[in-house]
Structures are given as structure tokens and as C-alpha cells.
Amino acid sequence: MTINPFSSNAIKTKSMQLLALIVFLSFAPASSAQTKSKPVTTTPTSDRAIVTPRKVVITRRGALLRNFPEKKTATLTYPGVSGLKDQIVLRRVQSILQVKNVFDTSLAEYREDTWLEEFGYKVNYNQHHILDITFTQSGSGAYPDTHTKHFAINLKNGSAIKASDVFVPDKLEPLRKMLDQKLQSELKSILRDLGESKSDPEDIAIAKEAGEILEFKVENLDDFSVGSKGITFLYDAGYPHAIQAFEPEGSYFLSYSELRPYIKRDGILGQFVQ
């Protein structure tokens, strides 16, 4: 006998089957992918900060816009910092990272000038009580240019980390010498590459002359970027735009193993060499 699928008994049976399926799914365990996923936490801690990008588009007006219509706007993306339990430390960190402190230019000053095109940042490290950020601004006047500024901040006290805070005092000079050797080696490599590429002899002479006055000094030790594997020391040669092609990169990495003799055990970097 053929059963009519639209009969009352068939409909009732289908309804009961659907109800049973809903009840089963309600009490079924979550999949392994679901149980392994971790919710994003925004609970305040002292170990790291919560860094949220904030974007501002500045609009030029009046004479600036009439004279430079192609530079009507510029975009700034800067970090909003929150999430630290100690509010005094939080305010110190926020003060260090405000736009005015980065390149010594306020939002109002950026609006009143046409140089800036884009302002942004990158978080390099944000854990173990250290927040490490690099800012970049790019723009153009007579020629295009890009500037960078770096901050490594101790989240225990809200201060910018200096070499004297984290390195053994009587090891600063040996550390400086090690980094100067890396700088001089890079300068030699630049000259060698210019020679091998048969560059203009005048360019080689200019690169050689510019490099002869460069030296990694003790004060340059203050500019370094913290990472999970070690420290990258940063050196800005400050070459003028005309010879920037010959400028050393000025980025010298040393692992925590290499830095072990130089790091204060009671400083913020001591945790990496215990």
C-alpha cells in the first residue's frame, strides 16, 4: 500500500523526527575545533598592553589646498593604548606615544603643512612587560622622504627603556665596540658592492667620504628594538637625500645568548637570560 506523504499521520511522524533532531543537537558536545578555540581577552593586565589603531584623516584648506590641490588630505593611524591595571603607568605610556612626541609635530601642525602623506605604526613586541613600537611617516617636499622613530617601553613603570636601564655599566663600551665593528663591516660591504657593480668613481668617493665619519657611539645604544629572540640595535646615519642610496641600513641583531654577559639580571631584559 502506498503512503500519502501529505496525510496527517505522515506529517505527525515528520514533526516528531524533526523535534528529536533539535533536542539531540542542543545537547551534542561541541566539535574539537570549537572546544580548542580561545576567546580574545581584553582583561586588563600588567604583562602587556591593549593597542588599538586610531585613524585620523586631516584635511587641508585655504591657501594650502589652492596651492597644492593634490595634497588635500593626509592619513594618520596612531596607537590607542589601554588594558594596564596600573593607571599611572598607563597614562605614562599614553603620554610617550601621543602623536606630538613621535616626530615633534602635532596634529594641528600637520594640518598647517603639506609635507605629510601618511603616518602609521607597527607593534614589534607586546609581552613580558615590554611594548615595542616603530612609527613611520612619509611625505614629500622637494622630494619624497620617509622617517622612522622607535620606542621600547617598560610596562612595569611606563618609562622608555634606555641602555643604562638594561645593560651592565662597565659593559657598555665593549658592547659599543662590538656594534661599531658591525657598522664598519657594513660600510665596507657598501663600498665593495659599488666597486663590483662598476659604479661611477665619484659615487664611490662620496660614499667612502660619508662613511669615514660614522661611528657607533655609546649614546646610540639607547635605540634598540626588543624581540623574542634578541635585540636589534638601530643606527641612523642621517645621510642627506642626495646620497641616501649609500646609507648603511643600520640594523644589527644580537641574540640573548650573545648579550648574556652585557645584560643586567635585575633589569627588564634580565628575564631573557636567566
Side-chain angles (χ1 to χ4, degrees):
M1 181 179 64
T2 302
I3 298 176
N4 181 0
F6 298 102
S7 68
S8 58
N9 288 337
I11 294 174
K12 183 177 180 181
T13 300
K14 293 285 186 181
S15 299
M16 293 178 67
Q17 290 173 342
L18 179 59
L19 179 59
L21 178 60
I22 293 172
V23 172
F24 172 77
L25 291 176
S26 299
F27 290 93
S31 68
S32 59
Q34 291 174 320
T35 56
K36 289 181 180 179
S37 63
K38 295 181 179 180
V40 177
T41 177
T42 57
T43 303
T45 70
S46 57
D47 173 62
R48 67 197 66 194
I50 295 172
V51 183
T52 307
R54 296 180 178 176
K55 183 176 179 180
V56 173
V57 178
I58 61 175
T59 302
R60 281 125 183 173
R61 304 180 186 281
L64 289 178
L65 182 57
R66 288 194 300 273
N67 295 330
F68 303 94
E70 75 282 5
K71 294 188 174 184
K72 180 179 180 180
T73 63
T75 303
L76 292 92
T77 305
Y78 61 95
V81 182
S82 61
L84 297 178
K85 289 181 179 178
D86 190 319
Q87 294 302 298
I88 294 177
V89 170
L90 176 59
R91 285 194 292 272
R92 288 173 181 168
V93 175
Q94 292 170 334
S95 178
I96 290 173
L97 298 180
Q98 61 180 316
V99 171
K100 171 68 175 177
N101 282 347
V102 181
F103 296 108
D104 297 320
T105 307
S106 67
L107 281 172
E109 289 168 328
Y110 279 125
R111 285 192 181 93
E112 295 165 1
D113 188 83
T114 59
W115 183 87
L116 183 70
E117 294 173 4
E118 190 169 5
F119 176 111
Y121 71 94
K122 177 185 177 183
V123 176
N124 306 308
Y125 194 79
N126 184 19
Q127 54 185 317
H128 297 108
H129 309 285
I130 298 170
L131 175 60
D132 191 286
I133 292 185
T134 299
F135 288 87
T136 304
Q137 67 171 2
S138 58
S140 61
Y143 48 80
D145 202 2
T146 298
H147 307 142
T148 61
K149 182 67 179 290
H150 169 263
F151 294 92
I153 301 174
N154 184 338
L155 296 182
K156 289 184 177 181
N157 57 26
S159 64
I161 304 172
K162 302 296 183 184
S164 58
D165 301 327
V166 294
F167 299 119
V168 178
D170 60 4
K171 295 289 187 180
L172 292 177
E173 179 58 21
L175 181 58
R176 180 205 72 79
K177 287 183 177 179
M178 183 192 304
L179 291 161
D180 189 55
Q181 288 175 356
K182 290 181 177 293
L183 169 60
Q184 301 307 322
S185 177
E186 185 179 8
L187 291 170
K188 289 178 182 178
S189 178
I190 291 172
L191 291 176
R192 184 171 58 252
D193 290 345
L194 287 173
E196 291 176 352
S197 64
K198 295 181 170 51
S199 297
D200 189 311
E202 185 177 353
D203 287 344
I204 297 176
I206 291 172
K208 182 178 180 181
E209 183 180 359
E212 285 175 347
I213 63 173
L214 297 184
E215 178 186 9
F216 200 103
K217 300 179 179 180
V218 169
E219 53 262 35
N220 298 128
L221 293 173
D222 282 336
D223 197 2
F224 59 85
S225 180
V226 178
S228 59
K229 304 292 185 180
I231 301 297
T232 301
F233 291 87
L234 308 170
Y235 181 85
D236 182 5
Y239 281 13
H241 186 267
I243 62 170
Q244 280 182 355
F246 312 137
E247 188 172 47
E249 182 181 349
S251 179
Y252 310 117
F253 175 80
L254 292 174
S255 68
Y256 288 121
S257 177
E258 293 174 286
L259 287 169
R260 184 178 296 275
Y262 304 92
I263 292 178
K264 287 181 178 180
R265 296 302 187 270
D266 59 350
I268 191 68
L269 298 184
Q271 60 188 314
F272 299 112
V273 294
Q274 298 296 343

